[in-house]
Each structure stands twice: as structure tokens, then as C-alpha cells.
Amino acid sequence: KAKTIINENLIASGVNEDLSDSISGSTNIVSSKLQNEKTIYARNNVNINTKEVVNTKESIIKSKKEINITSENISNEDNVSFEAEENINLKNQNKIVSNKINIVSKQASVNIQTNTLEIKNSKVNANKDVILKAEEKIDAEDINVQANKIDVSTKELILSQKKNNSEDLDSKIVSNTTIDITANNIKNVNGYIGANEDINITSKDIENSNGVIVTNKNLNINSQEDGLFNNLKGILQASKNLVLNVFDFKGDESIIQAENVNVKANDVNGKSLNIVALNGDLKLDTNNLNLSGENLSKGLLYSTNDILINSEKFISNYLNVQADNNIDINSLDIALNNSTIQSVVDINDTYVN
């Protein structure tokens, strides 16, 4: 076991004298510290077990099979690349720090497990799964993650937190199937989370300001007691069912749209908030419902079928409520100002105040 290994050029296994691939060969490194300044390559697996790994600027770790790194600390300078045909497994006890790196598994999965993960301005792509798990924090600003399935678990998740006027979204997480995110705090300011199948998010606090969360199937968002979901100018969209089971929801100038929309919350507040159920029902179950707008930017509740509202207190100003079937409002305290409630199934069932 070496104390320190410094690679200034090339460490390779499974290659011929002319550096072409031979039949087989793995690269196995065990040391106290590895400093990779150029290229580590294997025809088979790259296996690294060390207390500290430092990949300097533009260095490469590449395998025709798997990359397996176990370390207490992993530090990657700008433009470092991890590339494997099969799995990439990074297991770390303390902290992984990365900026402008590429992690690509061409045929399999990427699995990163650590205490704290800082991976900014980077790309993580896998043909199968991407699994990001950190005990304390994942700071993944300006990250581009694409995989068949994505699983993220941590206490604090920062996907993006910059507020700018650019039309380009700061971070993108895209799955061909499902996305599962579990955290205590999520920041997705000006970011994009998209899946072809279900998206399941569980977090105490969520900020999706100017962010987009969209799926071709079901979207389920759950929050614990005393949590806040801030969806300022955010978009929540599902082709099938959209369920919000949160404590407090703020949705100024935001859009919620799905075939069926079901919102359960203690408080729902939204100025110029649009909630639309296409080919299904819109259900709101809350203690306090406060929806307002302006004369030129009214709030909207619309369903092609039924609208069902259960709220102890319902306050609106400049709000349009419209359903192609029935509208059922159950509330002990209603104050509707400059608002219209219309059931299209019977044009006489119109209330204007």
C-alpha cells in the first residue's frame, strides 16, 4: 500500500505496447492519497481504494467496464471526466467536491454515495439509473442529469437557487421513466425536473420559483407538517394525476395542470394562480383558501368535469371558477369579490360578485 501516488501521465491496464486494448486487464490502486493529473484507464475495471482522491484539471478516469472508487474525500477540479461502459460507483465518507465535470455510464448506472456532494456546472448521464445519495447535502447547481431512472436522497437538495431573467433553466433533471426525490429542503429556482413516467417528491420545504416540474404520467408531491411549498411563477404539470399533499402552498402567478388535480393543504394562497384539470376533476381540500388576482390577470380554477372545494375559509378577488360539469363548494366562511363561478353544464348556474 503506497502512501501517495501521483499520476503525471498514464496508468493503464489491459493494453498492448502500442496502447491498443488487449484481451483483459483491471487497474487496482490502493493508497493513502491518489493525485491523478492525466489518465487512468483499464480494459476491464478501474478499482481505487484510498483516503483521498484528487483529480486535477482535465484529468480522465476511463474504463471499458466499471469504475469503482472508495475514498474519504474526492476532489475534482474543472473539466474532469469519468467514463465507463458499465457502472460508475463513487462511495465517499465525507465530501465530494466537483465543478464542470462529466460522469457518463454508457450502458449501465451511476451511483454516488457520500455525506456531502457538491457537483456544480456538471453533467451526469447514465443509460440505466442515476442514484445520488448524501447524508447531509447535495449542492447540484447548474447540473444536467439524464438517465432511465433517477433517485435522489438527502437532507438539503439545491438544484438551482439563482433568480435571473434568462429563459435558459439553470438545472435539468430528465428521466426516461421515473424520478424519486426525498429531502428535507429542496431549492429548484429556475430549474427543470422532467420524467416520462411518475415523479415522486417528498420534502418538508420546497422552493420551485420559476421552476418547472413536468411528467407524462403522475406527479406526487408530499410535505411534512409546518412545511412550505413556494411555487412562485412555477409550473407543475402532469398528463395523468397531480397530487399535492402539503402543509402551506404559495403559488403566485403559477400554473398547475393535469388530467386530475388534487390539492390537500392547510393554507393555499395564490395571486393570479391557474389550476386546470383537463379530462378530469379538480379537488381542493384546505383550511384556508385565498385566491386573488387583478382585473387584467385573474386567477383561474377550471375543470372539464367537476370542481370540488372543501375549505373552512374561502376568500377570492378577481377569480374565475369554471367547470364543464358540477361545481361543489363547501365552506363556513366565503368572501368572493369581483369573481365569477360558472357551471357550463347549466348556463343558469352562474354566480357573479
Side-chain angles (χ1 to χ4, degrees):
K1 179 180 178 180
K3 289 185 177 180
T4 302
I5 297 175
I6 299 175
N7 173 35
E8 296 180 342
N9 188 16
L10 173 67
I11 298 176
S13 296
V15 296
N16 299 309
E17 291 184 2
D18 61 358
L19 299 182
S20 62
D21 284 342
S22 63
I23 296 174
S24 65
S26 294
T27 298
N28 299 295
I29 298 173
V30 179
S31 67
S32 295
K33 180 180 179 179
L34 169 63
Q35 182 168 312
N36 177 34
E37 298 179 357
K38 197 68 175 179
T39 301
I40 297 175
Y41 173 82
R43 175 66 179 81
N44 289 346
N45 297 338
V46 172
N47 300 309
I48 298 172
N49 192 329
T50 179
K51 287 185 177 180
E52 183 179 6
V53 176
V54 178
N55 291 303
T56 62
K57 187 175 181 180
E58 297 182 351
S59 61
I60 298 170
I61 298 179
K62 184 175 181 179
S63 169
K64 286 294 182 71
K65 288 194 174 179
E66 292 190 351
I67 295 174
N68 300 297
I69 299 177
T70 301
S71 178
E72 291 183 7
N73 292 288
I74 300 174
S75 177
N76 300 304
E77 296 181 3
D78 290 0
N79 300 313
V80 171
S81 294
F82 296 81
E83 182 179 320
E85 293 292 326
E86 297 180 7
N87 295 322
I88 297 176
N89 299 303
L90 306 181
K91 294 184 178 181
N92 170 265
Q93 295 179 7
N94 296 321
K95 193 173 186 178
I96 298 176
V97 179
S98 305
N99 186 48
K100 296 181 181 178
I101 72 166
N102 292 327
I103 303 176
V104 179
S105 170
K106 293 184 177 180
Q107 302 296 330
S109 301
V110 173
N111 185 349
I112 301 176
Q113 298 183 33
T114 183
N115 184 66
T116 301
L117 175 62
E118 293 183 8
I119 182 168
K120 301 180 181 181
N121 307 293
S122 300
K123 179 175 73 173
V124 181
N125 288 0
N127 186 57
K128 292 183 178 178
D129 301 345
V130 167
I131 300 170
L132 305 178
K133 292 187 177 182
E135 292 293 328
E136 294 297 326
K137 181 179 179 180
I138 296 176
D139 190 346
E141 296 177 60
D142 302 321
I143 194 171
N144 187 327
V145 180
Q146 296 187 38
N148 187 59
K149 184 179 183 296
I150 298 171
D151 187 354
V152 180
S153 177
T154 188
K155 288 182 180 177
E156 182 178 5
L157 174 62
I158 300 174
L159 296 176
S160 56
Q161 60 180 352
K162 295 184 296 184
K163 297 181 180 179
N164 56 48
N165 296 321
S166 173
E167 294 182 359
D168 294 330
L169 298 170
D170 288 332
S171 62
K172 296 179 181 179
I173 296 183
V174 181
S175 170
N176 292 329
T177 59
T178 62
I179 296 176
D180 293 303
I181 298 175
T182 303
N184 288 339
N185 189 314
I186 297 173
K187 287 187 178 180
N188 185 46
V189 180
N190 206 52
Y192 179 92
I193 300 173
N196 282 330
E197 296 183 10
D198 293 353
I199 296 177
N200 301 298
I201 298 174
T202 300
S203 180
K204 181 177 181 291
D205 296 312
I206 302 171
E207 184 172 5
N208 190 51
S209 300
N210 205 43
V212 177
I213 303 176
V214 58
T215 171
N216 287 332
K217 288 195 176 177
N218 303 306
L219 173 59
N220 300 290
I221 299 177
N222 293 280
S223 174
Q224 296 90 352
E225 187 175 351
D226 297 330
L228 172 62
F229 188 168
N230 185 5
N231 197 52
L232 173 65
K233 295 183 179 179
I235 296 174
L236 306 176
Q237 184 174 325
S239 295
K240 296 295 184 181
N241 300 312
L242 191 156
V243 176
L244 291 181
N245 190 356
V246 299
F247 189 74
D248 286 342
F249 179 83
K250 291 185 178 180
D252 292 359
E253 299 180 60
S254 66
I255 297 173
I256 300 173
Q257 181 176 310
E259 184 175 288
N260 290 286
V261 177
N262 190 346
V263 178
K264 295 181 179 180
N266 179 58
D267 288 335
V268 174
N269 292 276
K271 295 180 180 179
S272 303
L273 166 64
N274 288 358
I275 305 178
V276 177
L278 299 174
N279 302 316
D281 296 333
L282 192 164
K283 298 179 181 180
L284 291 170
D285 191 349
T286 178
N287 290 326
N288 298 290
L289 180 60
N290 191 334
L291 303 177
S292 61
E294 298 177 354
N295 189 30
L296 297 179
S297 181
K298 296 182 178 181
L300 174 66
L301 301 178
Y302 173 70
S303 172
T304 56
N305 195 40
D306 295 340
I307 293 178
L308 303 142
I309 298 174
N310 290 291
S311 181
E312 291 186 9
K313 189 173 184 179
F314 182 12
I315 299 174
S316 75
N317 190 28
Y318 290 107
L319 173 70
N320 288 336
V321 181
Q322 182 175 327
D324 290 353
N325 201 9
N326 299 310
I327 298 175
D328 188 356
I329 300 175
N330 296 303
S331 179
L332 298 176
D333 186 358
I334 301 178
L336 307 179
N337 301 306
N338 305 302
S339 300
T340 301
I341 299 177
Q342 182 176 10
S343 175
V344 179
V345 71
D346 186 346
I347 198 65
N348 293 321
D349 290 345
T350 302
Y351 172 81
V352 179
N353 183 27

